Amino acid sequence: MTTFTNSKNRLIFALDVPDRNQAQSLIKQLDDSVGCFKVGLQLFIQEGPDILRLIKDHSTADIFLDLKLHDIPATVRSALRSARNLGARYITIHSTEGEAILETSREVNDSGLEVLAVTLLTSMKEEQLGTLGFEQNTKIRDVVLDRATRAKQAGCAGIICSGEEIVSVKQKCGENFKVVVPGIRPEWSRVSSDDQNRISTPGKAIQTGADLIVVGRPIRDAEDPREAAQKIVSEIDKCINQ
Ligand code: C5P
């Protein structure tokens, strides 16, 4: 298992908000309760790289730049080179195009920026695979495993997958290959699964081997986001220490 020194460090909060003011308010509330802030497309397109400076000014947590890069290898490689100096710990690229894209991760080897490959979005259901050109009866787990194996061989630090695939990926790719899991819905959360289809509780994801979990709306939309984050950290804690 990749070692994270405490339960808080296993929790990534998705800063899915429209602007820096709302981001700043959540960073201040959550700084001591989460290990990493994830900046996605909405906030990055609105605020640009300055948003990473804002996070660094208010927190010592890691930063995850979730840009899900998807382009020709030369362009992804250049984008990774540009991202290398922004101070993020993680960045995402898509894995659908195979090795040529995945191998761009070597561009930032040893720079402190870890490249995570998105396997199949957690909003995806098995029934949808057919409409995307996969053979009938293709299993999500097999697609995720194939992409995870390629990502590992190509030099990525880890992958993003749902809670349902963690065990198989860990078995196939080994303990040191990071498995990062979104689509997390705590049992107490009043947020519905929304667009997420392959969901898991924080405890189940950690118990089955997730290194890190990504939680957005269940914390952001809670009456008290800090309390919600702390409840999730306690759930992680229980799983680790049971
Ligand atoms: O609000 P919620 O907890 O569903 O947020 C999940 C976050 O994780 C979102 O920012 C989403 O973009 C991201 N994500 C995901 N599924 C993936 C990769 C990233 O939900 N496969």
Side-chain angles (χ1 to χ4, degrees):
M1 170 73 58
T2 319
T3 40
F4 288 94
T5 45
N6 63 38
S7 303
K8 174 188 103 158
N9 291 338
R10 313 275 292 266
L11 176 59
I12 299 173
F13 172 63
L15 259 177
D16 291 332
V17 291
D19 59 43
R20 60 184 292 127
N21 292 336
Q22 291 186 46
Q24 185 169 333
S25 157
L26 281 161
I27 294 163
K28 282 186 178 163
Q29 289 176 66
L30 297 171
D31 178 41
D32 62 352
S33 311
V34 306
C36 181
F37 289 104
K38 181 173 89 67
V39 174
L41 291 171
Q42 180 188 24
L43 191 56
F44 194 76
I45 288 172
Q46 177 65 32
E47 301 291 349
D50 279 356
I51 196 68
L52 279 86
R53 170 58 39 218
L54 179 94
I55 297 173
K56 285 190 171 295
D57 284 347
H58 292 90
S59 168
T60 54
D62 286 331
I63 301 175
F64 177 174
L65 200 46
D66 188 16
L67 299 183
K68 299 190 178 71
L69 304 174
H70 192 180
D71 210 313
I72 57 170
T75 303
V76 174
R77 201 172 290 116
S78 313
L80 288 176
R81 228 178 283 138
S82 297
R84 190 167 46 191
N85 301 320
L86 295 179
R89 173 150 183 200
Y90 306 106
I91 190 163
T92 37
I93 62 174
H94 266 289
S95 63
T96 35
E97 309 296 328
E99 282 79 358
I101 303 285
L102 295 166
E103 280 166 4
T104 61
S105 60
R106 300 198 194 276
E107 189 66 31
V108 291
N109 264 359
D110 305 321
S111 69
L113 180 61
E114 300 181 33
V115 178
L116 303 172
V118 178
T119 54
L120 261 182
L121 295 171
T122 41
S123 51
M124 181 75 67
K125 291 187 222 170
E126 203 142 80
E127 305 88 271
Q128 289 172 276
L129 287 182
T131 63
L132 294 175
F134 287 94
E135 273 175 32
Q136 238 197 334
N137 300 326
T138 301
K139 298 276 173 247
I140 279 192
R141 205 193 58 177
D142 294 337
V143 177
V144 170
L145 268 183
D146 176 58
R147 293 181 176 174
T149 311
R150 290 169 196 265
K152 186 177 180 215
Q153 281 163 359
C156 294
I159 54 141
I160 314 287
C161 67
S162 89
E164 295 169 14
E165 299 101 33
I166 303 169
V167 172
S168 322
V169 174
K170 281 287 181 186
Q171 267 168 8
K172 185 111 193 246
C173 298
E175 287 302 319
N176 291 327
F177 188 63
K178 284 198 180 92
V179 173
V180 180
V181 178
I184 300 292
R185 291 293 176 269
E187 266 158 22
W188 46 262
S189 172
R190 55 191 177 86
V191 174
S192 67
S193 60
D194 307 284
D195 49 352
Q196 297 285 18
N197 277 307
R198 293 173 7 254
I199 60 171
S200 175
T201 63
K204 184 87 195 297
I206 292 292
Q207 253 162 17
T208 47
D211 294 289
L212 296 155
I213 58 172
V214 178
V215 186
R217 286 163 285 189
I219 294 176
R220 184 198 68 185
D221 298 345
E223 240 163 68
D224 182 341
R226 186 161 180 269
E227 185 188 72
Q230 288 179 347
K231 262 203 232 173
I232 294 173
V233 173
S234 311
E235 191 172 329
I236 296 173
D237 226 17
K238 272 191 209 126
C239 293
I240 294 174
N241 297 314
Q242 74 184 351

